[in-house]
Amino acid sequence: MIKVGMGYDVHQLSPGKPLLIGGVKVISSKGSVGHSDGDALFHAITDAILGAVGLGDIGLFFPSDDETWRGADSKIFLIEAVKMISEKGYIVNNVDSTVILQSPKLQKYIPKIRKSVARTLLIDETNINIKATTTDKLGVIGEGLGWACMAVVSVKK
C-alpha cells in the first residue's frame, strides 16, 4: 500500500540568525526565525510524513508553545515522525520538495541538503528531490522577509 502526504512551512527571516535548510547551514545575511531551529524544509517534510499516514501535523507532536522544543534541532522531528509511521508498518518511499527563498541562491547547497535529508530518513539519496525557486521579488518572500518550503512524501507498507 502506498500513501502520499503534503507538507508546507514558512518562517520569517532576520539578520543575525542561522539559516538551516534540511540540516545544512547555508551562508546568508539572514536566517530563519523559529521556536526550534527554524528549518522549514525539515518541518515541511515532517508534516508530509505525518499526513501520509493520517497522524496530523508537526504542531500536534512538537507544539511551538512547548519550551521542550525551544532551539531544538528539527532533525529530531523528522526522526520521530519516521518512528511514528514505522509503528504503523510504513516506511518513507520518496520525497519531492521545493524551497522558496529569494536569496541566497541554493544550487551549490542542494547536493548537501539532499544527502542530509536522505541520511536523516535512512533512505537512498536517489529517492530525495530538492528544488529551489524564488518568487521573482514578489511578496514577503521576494522582499527577503521570509521563506517557505513544500514537500510531498510517499510512504509504503
Side-chain angles (χ1 to χ4, degrees):
M1 174 180 288
I2 294 178
K3 293 186 172 193
V4 176
M6 182 192 78
Y8 175 79
D9 195 40
V10 62
H11 284 271
Q12 291 179 349
L13 290 171
S14 179
K17 297 274 190 185
L19 181 59
L20 292 169
I21 303 177
V24 173
K25 186 167 184 171
V26 172
I27 297 170
S28 177
S29 62
K30 294 180 179 178
S32 192
V33 176
H35 183 70
S36 65
D37 63 10
D39 191 329
L41 180 59
F42 273 170
H43 297 174
I45 295 170
T46 299
D47 260 353
I49 290 169
L50 294 170
V53 182
L55 292 176
D57 63 36
I58 194 170
L60 188 63
F61 299 99
F62 312 104
S64 59
D65 61 356
D66 183 342
E67 288 301 307
T68 304
W69 309 116
R70 181 169 299 284
D73 183 340
S74 295
K75 189 178 290 190
I76 294 167
F77 308 150
L78 203 49
I79 291 167
E80 287 302 312
V82 169
K83 285 180 187 173
M84 285 183 241
I85 69 163
S86 71
E87 290 170 3
K88 297 198 170 287
Y90 289 91
I91 61 169
V92 174
N93 183 53
N94 78 303
V95 175
D96 185 26
S97 61
T98 303
V99 178
I100 309 159
L101 176 69
Q102 191 63 43
S103 172
K105 299 293 182 200
L106 297 179
Q107 185 175 8
K108 70 180 182 180
Y109 293 98
I110 287 177
K112 289 180 190 172
I113 295 168
R114 186 177 180 207
K115 185 174 295 224
S116 172
V117 171
R119 265 190 271 126
T120 304
L121 294 174
L122 302 172
I123 64 174
D124 193 273
E125 234 179 287
T126 60
N127 294 327
I128 306 292
N129 192 46
I130 309 290
K131 303 179 296 287
T133 191
T134 70
T135 60
D136 291 326
K137 300 189 179 186
L138 296 172
V140 295
I141 293 175
E143 293 171 12
L145 300 174
W147 69 299
C149 293
M150 299 181 296
V152 175
V153 172
S154 70
V155 300
K156 62 185 175 181
K157 200 168 211 178

